[in-house]
Amino acid sequence: MSLPHATPTAPAAPAAPAGPGARQAPAAVHLSAPRYVLGELRCDHTTIEGLRERARRFGMPPRAELWGWGSVHRTAKSLETLAAETARATLDGAGAAPADVDCLILCSTRFPGGPRTHGAFVENVMAATGLGTAAFTGLTLGRCANLLAGIRTAQAYVASGMHRTVMVVTADRVTDESVRMENFALFSDGAASCLISADPLGPDAYEVVAGAGAQDPAGLDWSNEISSDLAREVNRQILDEAGMKTGDILGVLHANLYKPLVVLKERQAGFTREQLFLDNIPRVGHCFAADPLINLVDRARAGALKPHGHYLLASSVPGVRIAVLLRALPTAAHPREARPGAAADGTPEARPGAAADATATADAEPARTAPGIPPGTPSDATAAAPEGSPA
């Protein structure tokens, strides 16, 4: 699902006397208690079936450090279990009861089964989280932009008064190990979630400042590239609405695609390398639509967010770009201390940089004449997209 060009929800303004026909200030909306879970089996990229053969087919030199190949996370759990685990963690983090949630938005690139099984799928998730009779909807057509489409939908629900508190959950897993490696990312299994409501809930809360989506129907096919034009259009809408400049954004929480693709496309969108967050590409891999929330959680847990700083959740797939601009509330910028030796997802904490160091097969800087790098590419976009890559 992709949403039309729009920029709902600017920061709340003090109420003023309204004359006839006066436009009312938009209601404040907050994102609270972002959480995630990863597949319980953390594996080195060298265990991926046919990795070298697929890399050769994609025209990619097998250099782990260049692409950001590190770990992937596999699960034996069902999508319902992953979704319920992250949703319960969000409820705990927000200090909210299941009865406080009156709507559930479930996102996945592929819901298992079909119409005969989808009812039981939703029933199992709601039973495991105690959500009872909350309204529900499902999003899937946005592919790896599903989560941000879900957050924007929840934002509209809350701002309009249709729902009070919306749980947004995305969950995905690879079902065919032969395609865990694609020409734009190494996939991990996992799920992520958050609450969207008028008021901040719990210590990890963010004001939703603005959001936008842009799409090109002619570019939706899987074989097309990610469009930097769409990203620039989304930036324009968001920054105009917020009255900000690109440099005012302290960090971009993007998808965990291969490092050169992220750097190339986000630099073309107008961001600097310093605004990007590449650490989780080797540590986590590409967890479908969950990456922006995963990266937000990890930056917060590392103390890398500034109070009142602005951070952009962003995701692109061929033909679609969606982004949501957040302002970190002071409590979110100073998170509670994580359990020693554990990451935010409960997996053992790796030594900083260990994933990239341990899995790199070469440390030479890629040549600027690598095939496919167009003239004028920013100097830190160190490699071209593999041939045929949608990124």
Side-chain angles (χ1 to χ4, degrees):
M1 173 180 177
S2 58
L3 301 182
H5 292 63
T7 50
T9 310
R23 185 177 179 181
Q24 192 171 10
V29 176
H30 291 83
L31 183 154
S32 301
R35 294 292 187 272
Y36 70 89
V37 296
L38 297 176
E40 65 278 11
L41 303 173
R42 185 174 183 174
C43 309
D44 187 78
H45 71 277
T46 55
T47 65
I48 295 175
E49 179 181 331
L51 181 139
R52 285 185 173 271
E53 179 183 344
R54 287 179 69 80
R56 190 179 307 111
R57 189 186 315 161
F58 295 144
M60 300 172 60
R63 298 167 58 189
E65 186 178 63
L66 168 61
W67 305 108
W69 296 345
S71 298
V72 294
H73 295 256
R74 297 184 173 100
T75 188
K77 300 176 183 178
S78 67
L79 278 191
E80 296 102 309
T81 299
L82 292 174
E85 285 181 359
T86 188
R88 288 195 298 264
T90 284
L91 289 172
D92 290 345
D100 297 333
V101 177
D102 62 338
C103 180
L104 169 67
I105 297 178
L106 278 172
C107 309
S108 184
T109 58
R110 184 180 291 108
F111 290 110
R116 292 178 179 271
T117 61
H118 287 168
F121 176 86
V122 176
E123 179 187 6
N124 291 338
V125 173
M126 297 183 76
T129 52
L131 295 185
T133 58
F136 65 87
T137 191
L139 298 180
T140 187
L141 294 181
R143 295 163 287 175
C144 293
N146 283 328
L147 173 64
L148 296 189
I151 289 174
R152 293 194 62 226
T153 301
Q155 177 188 2
Y157 284 170
V158 172
S160 69
M162 182 182 295
H163 292 291
R164 301 183 312 274
T165 304
V166 182
M167 172 75 75
V168 183
V169 179
T170 187
D172 280 288
R173 62 192 297 268
V174 172
T175 56
D176 179 358
E177 286 295 327
S178 69
V179 294
R180 188 171 289 277
M181 178 198 183
E182 284 289 356
N183 59 351
F184 55 92
L186 300 184
F187 281 89
S188 280
D189 307 334
S193 55
C194 63
L195 288 174
I196 305 295
S197 57
D199 298 318
L201 302 174
D204 309 322
Y206 304 81
E207 180 185 0
V208 179
V209 177
Q215 50 280 327
D216 172 17
L220 288 170
D221 188 80
W222 178 261
S223 63
N224 290 316
E225 291 187 3
I226 284 174
S227 170
S228 298
D229 290 338
L230 292 179
R232 286 191 292 269
E233 170 60 19
V234 166
N235 288 352
R236 183 194 64 77
Q237 294 181 51
I238 287 176
L239 295 173
D240 285 353
E241 178 73 19
M244 295 170 55
K245 299 177 181 178
T246 306
D248 296 330
I249 297 173
L250 299 185
V252 181
L253 294 317
H254 44 70
N256 295 329
L257 309 180
Y258 295 142
K259 284 183 178 181
L261 303 181
V262 171
V263 173
L264 176 65
K265 293 300 181 178
E266 298 300 340
R267 287 295 308 273
Q268 289 177 341
F271 298 109
T272 66
R273 184 163 183 144
E274 290 69 30
Q275 290 172 292
L276 308 182
F277 180 60
L278 305 177
D279 295 3
N280 270 353
I281 295 174
R283 191 187 81 84
V284 175
H286 179 41
C287 198
F288 296 81
D291 291 348
L293 273 193
I294 291 173
N295 294 340
L296 177 67
V297 170
D298 286 357
R299 289 200 72 170
R301 291 292 177 96
L305 303 185
K306 294 184 178 180
H308 309 293
H310 290 84
Y311 299 88
L312 188 73
L313 307 178
S315 188
S316 292
V317 297
V320 177
R321 171 76 164 198
I322 302 179
V324 176
L325 181 65
L326 304 178
R327 182 177 68 88
L329 302 185
T331 51
H334 297 285
R336 292 166 293 179
E337 185 176 352
R339 185 175 75 254
D345 62 345
T347 59
E349 186 76 44
R351 186 183 81 257
D357 295 342
T359 59
T361 57
D363 57 6
E365 192 70 18
R368 291 287 298 130
T369 56
I373 296 185
T377 297
S379 60
D380 59 356
T382 54
E387 291 184 8
S389 169

